[in-house]
Amino acid sequence: MKARWIITAVSAALFFGGSLLTSLRDPWFQGLRRPDWLTFEFLIPFIWIFIWICTTMSAILVWERSSKRFRPWLLMGMYAAIAILTSAYSPIVVEFRSLIGGMIVGGLATVLVYILAFLVKPISQTASWLFLPYALWGPIGTYLTWVLIQLNF
């Protein structure tokens, strides 16, 4: 089986796995006070789908452009760590009712995105640029979680 299909399948499993465990449509989460400027909340799932697709494409490019002698297992592990942290956001926030935990995993995933974008640049500049949506959205999502903490606790 081609590596691109394996990477895509693992990525999809992690993406949907997080949403299958819990949902941000949970009544407790929906009952939280939100900032007045959060008028685009309905777009957030679509933003994340786009980010996930870009990150998956980046992983595929890095794998395919690496030499057959040196497979970037450590880099793939970092991609997986980002996916796991990102997928863990909803269960941590909803099941544990921990916005602080969500802010921590979201912030950590964003930091790993910056590091990984730098590390993959020598292998593929395109793969590095595909992190741009996450690199832009990650701080916004982390800040939004921080604002939710301020408004609700």
Side-chain angles (χ1 to χ4, degrees):
M1 184 181 282
K2 290 205 177 230
R4 69 177 54 195
W5 295 112
I6 294 170
I7 292 170
T8 301
V10 169
S11 178
L14 289 170
F15 180 80
F16 291 111
S19 61
L20 289 176
L21 293 173
T22 190
S23 172
L24 292 177
R25 290 182 294 228
D26 177 84
W28 172 81
F29 184 76
Q30 289 301 311
L32 294 174
R33 287 184 291 147
R34 286 157 167 67
D36 293 336
W37 51 263
L38 186 60
T39 58
F40 56 89
E41 189 169 10
F42 69 98
L43 291 174
I44 293 174
F46 300 104
I47 292 168
W48 275 114
I49 290 168
F50 179 71
I51 288 170
W52 210 275
I53 290 168
C54 289
T55 305
T56 302
M57 289 171 47
S58 175
I60 291 168
L61 283 172
V62 167
W63 185 265
E64 290 181 348
R65 295 205 178 153
S66 63
S67 72
K68 300 240 186 269
R69 289 186 64 217
F70 171 71
R71 287 299 188 185
W73 291 105
L74 178 61
L75 298 178
M76 292 299 117
M78 290 180 72
Y79 278 100
I82 291 166
I84 289 166
L85 288 168
T86 303
S87 292
Y89 178 90
S90 294
I92 288 171
V93 168
V94 174
E95 299 303 320
F96 297 116
R97 307 244 189 282
S98 177
L99 289 168
I100 293 172
M103 185 178 68
I104 290 169
V105 297
L108 183 57
T110 301
V111 169
L112 285 177
V113 162
Y114 295 141
I115 294 168
L116 190 54
F118 176 77
L119 292 175
V120 303
K121 189 175 181 185
I123 298 169
S124 169
Q125 285 193 330
T126 303
S128 184
W129 279 106
L130 283 166
F131 280 113
L132 185 60
Y134 202 127
L136 294 173
W137 180 254
I140 294 169
T142 303
Y143 174 72
L144 175 57
T145 305
W146 180 81
V147 170
L148 290 174
I149 293 167
Q150 305 310 306
L151 290 173
N152 291 282
F153 298 100

